[in-house]
Amino acid sequence: MPTSLPPDAPVLVLAVPGSTSGVAAEIAAVVRVDNPQIEVRLTSVTDLADSLPSGRESIVVPLLTWDDPIILAEIGKAVAAAGSNAVVTEALGPHPLLAEALHIRLAERGLARADRVRLLNVSSPVDAIILGTVGGERAVHAVQATAVLLASRLTLPVVAASLDSDPGVPVAAERLRAAGATRLAIAPCLIGHEASAEVVEQAATTVRAGHSEPLGAHSAVAELVARAYGSQLAT
């Protein structure tokens, strides 16, 4: 990301598939503080057409961990309806920074060691991780790469599963326990607006597993937003 930009540089429009309050507002605030040279606008996907700047270029960054085709189609329609030449970036993941943030969220709950190196004389708090997502089979397929990155960091089995459809977390838990894993934890690969906290808690209770908090306004999420903007700016 350039340390300075011209006054007419494209506006970063952060598009949220949900409320712009709470986590989304916190992420936008972090992006602004870390990148004061960027004009950042926060909007919901439904209000995107009215939020795009008139007569000025903009780069729309979807606040998504995977390329949800339904939401991306809504964003595309909003851009077209506004008659804008705005460019829409890909989702924030998969990316090693997401795996790092998921690792940290697990460690905050005592479900993973904070360090990356697995020492032979130090046992892991859990035997395997279920990477929870929402959006059905498409979402599960899309976060597979993040699951591999997280498994590499933890040196533990990580299986992606859906929190909102079947077969989901119970099937993943059964597979892991059949392979010998008895202590499980769910790492929600969610920013926070995709599903209620009760969805994660219910899934964890059902399979008798611990769970970490969603990604939320982790600095890695804000950095990925800025990187998405910067990468598009470079082209």
Side-chain angles (χ1 to χ4, degrees), residues 17 52 91 95 143 151 160 173 194 205:
L52 294 171
H95 195 279
V143 301
E194 303 93 332
T205 300

Side-chain angles (χ1 to χ4, degrees), residues 59-157:
I59 297 174
V60 180
V61 180
L63 196 57
L64 301 169
T65 57
W66 65 286
D67 286 321
D68 187 326
I70 296 175
I71 296 174
L72 291 180
E74 291 179 5
I75 291 175
K77 290 178 182 178
V79 171
S84 170
N85 61 350
V87 176
V88 182
T89 73
E90 296 180 344
L92 306 182
H95 195 279
L97 281 174
L98 279 185
E100 178 183 341
L102 289 164
H103 181 178
I104 291 171
R105 290 294 187 236
L106 286 164
E108 289 171 349
R109 282 288 186 93
L111 298 170
R113 290 183 308 279
D115 63 277
R116 288 193 60 176
V117 180
R118 184 171 189 179
L119 302 178
L120 295 178
N121 60 341
V122 179
S123 62
S124 173
V126 297
D127 302 316
I129 302 293
I130 298 173
L131 188 67
T133 186
V134 295
E137 291 184 7
R138 281 180 173 174
V140 172
H141 178 75
V143 301
Q144 290 290 353
T146 302
V148 171
L149 291 168
L150 183 59
S152 177
R153 291 185 66 91
L154 301 176
T155 61
L156 290 173

Side-chain angles (χ1 to χ4, degrees), residues 2 17 21 24 35 48 56 87 93 97 106 122 132 141 171 195-196:
S21 61
N35 305 274
L48 176 58
R56 186 174 168 189
V87 176
L97 281 174
L106 286 164
V122 179
H141 178 75
V171 173
S196 66

Side-chain angles (χ1 to χ4, degrees), residues 13-17 19 23-25 27-28 42-43 45 60-66 71 75 89-92 191 193-194 216 221-222 225:
V13 181
L14 189 58
V16 186
S19 173
V23 170
I27 292 171
L42 175 64
T43 182
V45 172
V60 180
V61 180
L63 196 57
L64 301 169
T65 57
W66 65 286
I71 296 174
I75 291 175
T89 73
E90 296 180 344
L92 306 182
I191 293 171
H193 53 71
E194 303 93 332
V221 176
V225 170

